[in-house]
Amino acid sequence: MLRPVLQYPDPRLAQKSAEVTEINDEIRALAQDMLDTLKAIGGVGIAAPQIGIFKRVIILDLSQELKDPDAPQEFKALVNPRVTVLDPALHAENEGCLSVPDYRAMVKRPRRVALDALDLYGNPVHLEGEGYYGAAMQHETDHLDGRLFIDHLSYLKRSLYDKKVRKAR
Ligand code: NI
């Protein structure tokens, strides 16, 4: 089922999400709604708080990892994801977000990370990635702690963006 996506500056986007203690039908239905919503809008990932459910669930498009333009999209739901930095050297990617419409910016993050999580049946999942894909893992996990990619921008860039948002409202 398609769900409305919260848009910045909705204060709920800054809320911290709770650990999932039991992976049940409710969580699987949540992941399905997130997938439907992500596919309808298009994007590399989505986090549950973006549809107003404050549980630690994200969906990532793993076809980004394959770097094969002909690879079918393969979306993976990840429960209670934890990111570990494998290479702290900073690397910038051009990021956007379903909750931050009509805006993209270069964001510097650790270059290579690992992500450990559970799938929708409680099996452990281990992913490693860098570049765009590594940035996506960090971007989606950030949402669960109430952080948006614009929170990583310089004070000046962020102020300019906030001014633009205020004007548009
Ligand atoms: Ni996002």
Side-chain angles (χ1 to χ4, degrees):
M1 187 175 69
L2 259 164
R3 304 273 207 112
V5 174
L6 302 185
Q7 309 274 285
Y8 181 80
D10 191 314
R12 287 174 291 175
L13 288 167
Q15 199 171 314
K16 203 172 148 77
S17 293
E19 290 274 321
V20 173
T21 50
E22 191 195 343
I23 299 173
N24 52 23
D25 285 348
E26 185 198 333
I27 295 298
R28 286 184 281 271
L30 165 64
Q32 186 61 52
D33 285 356
M34 290 165 64
L35 181 61
D36 294 344
T37 305
L38 176 61
K39 278 183 167 169
I41 304 175
V44 69
I46 189 169
Q50 292 183 273
I51 60 167
I53 306 294
F54 299 93
K55 294 186 174 164
R56 300 183 82 84
V57 180
I58 63 173
I59 291 189
L60 278 178
D61 177 359
L62 296 187
S63 66
Q64 294 292 336
E65 181 190 28
L66 306 173
K67 294 190 176 74
D68 175 358
D70 298 323
Q73 293 207 320
E74 194 201 337
F75 294 96
K76 185 102 182 148
L78 300 158
V79 178
N80 296 338
R82 274 194 332 274
V83 168
T84 316
V85 174
L86 299 178
D87 179 355
L90 295 179
H91 166 87
E93 285 288 335
N94 187 25
E95 296 190 25
C97 180
L98 304 182
S99 295
V100 183
D102 306 322
Y103 187 68
R104 298 189 73 85
M106 296 301 287
V107 177
K108 284 185 199 158
R109 300 181 187 268
R111 193 184 67 86
R112 184 170 178 82
V113 294
L115 185 150
D116 287 282
L118 298 173
D119 70 12
L120 289 177
Y121 296 93
N123 303 306
V125 179
H126 178 83
L127 305 170
E128 291 184 13
E130 55 187 64
Y132 188 71
Y133 182 61
M137 288 186 203
Q138 297 174 74
H139 176 124
E140 298 312 331
T141 305
D142 263 2
H143 275 296
L144 305 179
D145 292 316
R147 266 195 311 274
L148 301 174
F149 79 92
I150 51 176
D151 295 330
H152 291 275
L153 300 180
S154 69
Y155 176 76
L156 179 65
K157 261 190 163 173
R158 175 60 182 268
S159 313
L160 287 171
Y161 177 66
D162 280 335
K163 203 182 265 179
K164 196 175 114 179
V165 170
R166 278 197 300 273
K167 254 190 190 161
R169 292 178 95 203

